[in-house]
Amino acid sequence: MAALGSVNLMLLRNPLNIALISMVGVSNSSVSGENQNNTAGLLTTAVVCPPYQTNSTTDEHVSQYQEGEFDWSLAKQGLLLSCYWYSYTVSSVPGAWLAQRFGIRITLGFASLVAAILTFFVPAAARLSFSLLVALRITLGLLQGVTLAIFMQSIGIWSPPCENTRHVAFSFTGVACGNVVAFTFAGFIISYFGWECTFYVAGGIGCLWSIAWFLLIHDTPLKHPRISKQESSYITESLSDAASVEEKKASFKSVPWRKILTSRPYWSTVVPHLAENWTLAITHSWVPQYIANVLGFNIENVGILSSLPYGLNVFSLLASGFLSDFILIKTKIRKTLLRKVFTTIGMGGTVLSYLVLPSFGCNHTLAIVLLCTSYMFVGCNYAGYRVALVDMAASYSGILYSISNAMTCVMILFATQIVGFMLGDGSLPYWRTVFYVTSAISAFGLLVFLWFGTCELQPWAKSKEKQVGNDQELAFLEKTEDI
């Protein structure tokens, strides 16, 4: 349900990014007649490399988007896309606390259902008032900001420690899969059924997922009406500190905020998270521009090639998650060392890819391969520093993630704008600078986690229960093989 919920999050978030092409169109650019010649030069960026030759033409596809229903300037379009992220950032930490206070089931179920219903009204709001559409997007961001933090919180409640990695990996595959689905199929739906249908389909899927969440998910193993006693006992007894989650729901003050915010091991996971989201901002916002305007691929191929890094990211995420837990169960390797190995693979893939990419210039094939690997190995971070949050403090994992996620959302906002300034006229020397800076930021995040990172249960996260070590987890697992 978490994996499907992550897909649902992307489906409700991203339709506007693609629909704006059809909603506004080229003809409605809010440019006066006397400036149209200058604007044409700006909108059609000169291709730096020789165009990639294919047998297809794009004239028919481009013509579909020449006429738009709305006369919104580029500044207004930017406001529509960014206002969601500001409210999304604000609601992340309060959402995690609400999940602690009222439970994961009601908090996320209500937020997701309302967001899905509001998505149905996006076309109507757009036609009634631009301000109303902005308000609706802000509300969607507030509602959806709780999603990923609650998924992390649910892992701390439901996942035995020796299964944490695969739970995190599988739950967050939906983020990458959702981007692939949203970008690939939104254009298809718009082409055949109109831009309005993207919001109706996304809203319908969101409602179905929310109903399923209410029916299938419960706050803790002890509250689940259909779980077997053996499984409930296995989960609660194998957890080191999540069994007393009921005690920790009491109040906002019960969360050790000061100790969390001054914890060196916690901040060692925040820094690589910030570095990873700089890479995400590049991949999400600027890689399509590089593929189209530098490498010269036509519009038919840009969407598919832009989705490839996300698709490959899913495979590395799942493979690393299951491999990590397998190694943890079959060997006596320390968790901290294992998490650092996978973080090295995840962050190191980005570092090497962006260091090498500028050397190949206009080699289309190798450039696409390196753009894919720059984000593909990021999936290994979920078996690395990301799951360390659950290892350090399972019952506070939602709050820990929400604080980090809020800061990374701000990083995405600023990274997107900063890179825009760094690119200058869009020539290759400017792109080289962007790639080298991205590589350096990823390297810094990796070094911080390697130096300060740990997966040991933190003193401020310990409850009345005794800590269950790796050997004890395996012994308990052997006793319950019949489950």
Side-chain angles (χ1 to χ4, degrees):
M1 287 301 297
L4 293 174
S6 300
V7 174
N8 178 56
L9 172 67
M10 298 298 110
L11 290 178
L12 294 177
R13 174 194 294 175
N14 291 332
L16 186 64
N17 298 38
I18 307 299
L20 271 176
I21 299 173
S22 185
M23 293 169 70
V24 178
V26 176
S27 62
N28 290 336
S29 57
S30 296
V31 180
S32 61
E34 59 189 20
N35 292 325
Q36 282 181 356
N37 292 333
N38 294 333
T39 304
L42 293 173
L43 292 176
T44 309
T45 306
V47 174
V48 177
C49 298
Y52 184 77
Q53 298 298 323
T54 64
N55 295 325
S56 59
T57 60
T58 60
D59 294 341
E60 295 180 2
H61 297 283
V62 172
S63 64
Q64 297 178 42
Y65 306 117
Q66 291 303 305
E67 297 297 331
E69 183 176 346
F70 302 99
D71 189 17
W72 294 333
S73 65
L74 292 175
K76 284 188 172 183
Q77 295 176 53
L79 176 61
L80 279 176
L81 295 174
S82 63
C83 65
Y84 172 96
W85 285 100
Y86 287 106
S87 56
Y88 180 93
T89 304
V90 168
S91 67
S92 184
V93 177
W97 175 78
L98 287 172
Q100 284 248 333
R101 185 71 179 84
F102 300 105
I104 60 174
R105 180 172 179 262
I106 188 66
T107 305
L108 182 55
F110 175 79
S112 178
L113 182 60
V114 175
I117 293 173
L118 290 177
T119 302
F120 285 114
F121 294 96
V122 169
R127 291 184 171 115
L128 286 173
S129 167
F130 178 82
S131 299
L132 182 61
L133 181 57
V134 170
L136 193 150
R137 288 283 294 175
I138 292 174
T139 306
L140 285 174
L142 285 171
L143 292 167
Q144 292 194 282
V146 309
T147 304
L148 297 182
I150 291 179
F151 288 156
M152 189 64 79
Q153 179 74 19
S154 67
I155 293 168
I157 297 170
W158 277 91
S159 171
C162 60
E163 299 178 13
N164 280 343
T165 315
R166 75 189 75 170
H167 279 259
V168 172
F170 196 76
S171 298
F172 282 79
T173 54
V175 175
C177 291
N179 280 313
V180 174
V181 172
F183 286 116
T184 302
F185 290 100
F188 173 81
I189 293 173
I190 292 171
S191 298
Y192 286 89
F193 305 104
W195 63 267
E196 300 95 330
C197 287
T198 58
F199 299 102
Y200 299 147
V201 171
I205 294 173
C207 287
L208 290 175
W209 182 87
S210 302
I211 294 170
W213 177 266
F214 276 120
L215 294 176
L216 299 174
I217 303 303
H218 295 269
D219 292 328
T220 67
L222 297 176
K223 287 186 175 182
H224 201 295
R226 297 179 297 277
I227 195 173
S228 68
K229 290 183 179 180
Q230 283 181 312
E231 187 177 5
S232 178
S233 175
Y234 168 56
I235 294 173
T236 54
E237 289 183 31
S238 64
L239 289 172
S240 60
D241 67 330
S244 63
V245 68
E246 296 297 328
E247 300 175 11
K248 296 177 182 178
K249 286 184 182 181
S251 67
F252 185 82
K253 294 181 180 180
S254 66
V255 179
W257 296 105
R258 183 182 64 81
K259 293 180 179 179
I260 289 174
L261 296 177
T262 56
S263 171
R264 182 181 295 178
Y266 172 58
W267 283 101
S268 73
T269 67
V270 174
V271 174
H273 197 186
L274 291 169
E276 180 186 317
N277 276 266
W278 176 283
T279 304
L280 174 62
I282 301 298
T283 306
H284 192 75
S285 300
W286 293 109
V287 163
Q289 299 281 348
Y290 185 80
I291 293 172
N293 296 330
V294 176
L295 298 180
F297 284 90
N298 61 48
I299 195 65
E300 294 179 28
N301 295 319
V302 169
I304 297 173
L305 294 174
S306 298
S307 68
L308 279 179
Y310 299 106
L312 294 171
N313 177 267
V314 174
F315 291 103
S316 70
L317 196 158
L318 288 175
S320 62
F322 283 90
L323 178 61
S324 174
D325 279 344
F326 178 81
I327 295 173
L328 197 62
I329 291 173
K330 296 296 183 180
T331 69
K332 294 183 178 180
I333 189 171
R334 291 175 58 244
K335 276 187 179 179
T336 298
L337 176 59
L338 188 64
R339 305 307 186 209
K340 289 182 178 181
V341 169
F342 278 99
T343 303
T344 300
I345 298 172
M347 305 293 286
T350 299
V351 173
L352 293 177
S353 296
Y354 280 136
L355 275 178
V356 175
L357 179 59
S359 303
F360 290 98
C362 294
N363 188 315
H364 295 85
T365 302
L366 290 177
I368 293 299
V369 169
L370 290 169
L371 287 172
C372 289
T373 58
S374 69
Y375 196 70
M376 178 182 72
F377 290 108
V378 169
C380 294
N381 290 332
Y382 286 87
Y385 76 86
R386 286 199 178 225
V387 76
L389 290 176
V390 185
D391 296 329
M392 289 190 295
S395 58
Y396 296 120
S397 54
I399 289 176
L400 295 178
Y401 181 80
S402 67
I403 297 171
S404 180
N405 192 48
M407 288 186 281
T408 57
C409 288
V410 176
M411 168 64 79
I412 292 175
L413 286 169
F414 283 104
T416 304
Q417 298 176 24
I418 291 170
V419 171
F421 288 111
M422 292 174 62
L423 285 175
D425 62 3
S427 59
L428 278 176
Y430 290 102
W431 278 104
R432 289 192 184 98
T433 301
V434 170
F435 293 143
Y436 289 146
V437 168
T438 302
S439 182
I441 291 173
S442 296
F444 177 73
L446 172 60
L447 291 175
V448 169
F449 184 70
L450 291 179
W451 189 262
F452 298 107
T454 180
C455 295
E456 299 299 324
L457 180 66
Q458 297 302 293
W460 45 266
K462 291 182 179 178
S463 62
K464 297 178 182 178
E465 300 79 47
K466 64 180 180 178
Q467 182 177 356
V468 181
N470 202 35
D471 293 339
Q472 292 169 295
E473 295 170 24
L474 299 181
F476 191 86
L477 185 63
E478 291 173 357
K479 290 193 298 182
T480 56
E481 278 184 337
D482 56 329
I483 296 179

